């Protein structure tokens, strides 16, 4: 269970109930090939492949009216500006990024962060101030644990 698999599962789970836009810049979330075959991400999922987020998000938001956007790797100020635009429009955004200094995430437009510890090992959820919200360890019989607010 890695970042892309997590994003794909989020899209599929929420795509059955909400209008979800998958912005798949690297064609990894949907894994659609040249024949149009790929993962089934839900009946209410629209997929945009390629392009840059900063110019695509505003157009897609106007044309497709998503409630949720799921997107691959955020890299650079333009990608974060696109996410900020979507959030300002009231759209929930799920995205992944690589960071070496997680304190830099405090400046980004997210309320929660999920840290993946090893592939398929443990997922830890933090709030914007990096307070523990909950975690999931598939090796633990309890599964999910949450910290009350």
């Amino acid at each position: 269970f890695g970042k892309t698999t997590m994003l794909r599962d989020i899209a599929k789970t929420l795509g059955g109930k909400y209008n979800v836009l998958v912005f798949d810049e690297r064609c990894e979330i949907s894994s659609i090939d040249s024949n149009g075959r790929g993962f089934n991400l839900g009946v209410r999922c629209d997929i945009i492949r390629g392009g840059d987020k900063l110019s695509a998000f505003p157009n897609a938001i106007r044309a497709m009216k998503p409630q949720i956007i799921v997107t691959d790797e955020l890299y650079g100020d333009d990608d974060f500006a696109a996410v900020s635009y979507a959030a300002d429009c009231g759209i929930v955004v799920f995205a992944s990024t690589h960071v070496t200094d997680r304190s830099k995430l405090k400046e980004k437009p997210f309320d929660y962060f999920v840290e993946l510890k090893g592939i398929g090992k443990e997922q830890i959820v933090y709030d914007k101030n990096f307070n523990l919200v909950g975690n999931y360890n598939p090796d633990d019989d309890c599964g999910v644990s949450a910290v009350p607010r």
Side-chain angles (χ1 to χ4, degrees):
F1 191 86
K3 294 183 307 299
T4 303
T5 303
M6 182 176 68
L7 292 173
R8 189 179 301 126
D9 288 350
I10 288 169
K12 184 171 183 162
T13 300
L14 297 177
K17 185 174 181 180
Y18 300 98
N19 294 333
V20 176
L21 170 63
V22 175
F23 188 82
D24 199 1
E25 189 171 357
R26 292 174 190 75
C27 304
E28 295 174 341
I29 299 171
S30 60
S31 294
I32 295 175
D33 63 19
S34 60
N35 295 317
R37 293 183 303 251
F39 288 105
N40 175 2
L41 297 179
V43 296
R44 295 179 69 178
C45 270
D46 292 309
I47 300 168
I48 297 177
R49 299 182 303 152
D52 68 282
K53 295 172 181 71
L54 189 59
S55 60
F57 274 30
N59 293 319
I61 290 167
R62 280 191 300 276
M64 303 170 124
K65 311 252 187 293
Q67 296 167 287
I68 297 167
I69 293 177
V70 176
T71 189
D72 50 11
E73 295 290 329
L74 300 179
Y75 180 79
D77 293 338
D78 285 352
D79 286 356
F80 285 101
V83 169
S84 291
Y85 177 83
D88 288 345
C89 292
I91 298 167
V92 175
V93 178
F94 293 91
S96 63
T97 190
H98 287 269
V99 294
T100 55
D101 179 4
R102 74 179 189 179
S103 67
K104 292 181 180 183
L105 292 173
K106 286 186 177 187
E107 306 162 11
K108 305 304 180 192
F110 294 103
D111 294 326
Y112 296 95
F113 305 99
V114 178
E115 179 180 12
L116 301 178
K117 297 250 186 182
I119 296 175
K121 296 295 179 192
E122 184 176 17
Q123 298 92 40
I124 304 169
V125 181
Y126 299 98
D127 68 11
K128 186 157 187 85
N129 296 312
F130 295 104
N131 297 306
L132 179 66
V133 175
N135 69 334
Y136 172 74
N137 184 335
D139 297 329
D140 183 358
D141 291 337
C142 297
V144 176
S145 64
V147 177
R149 290 192 170 239

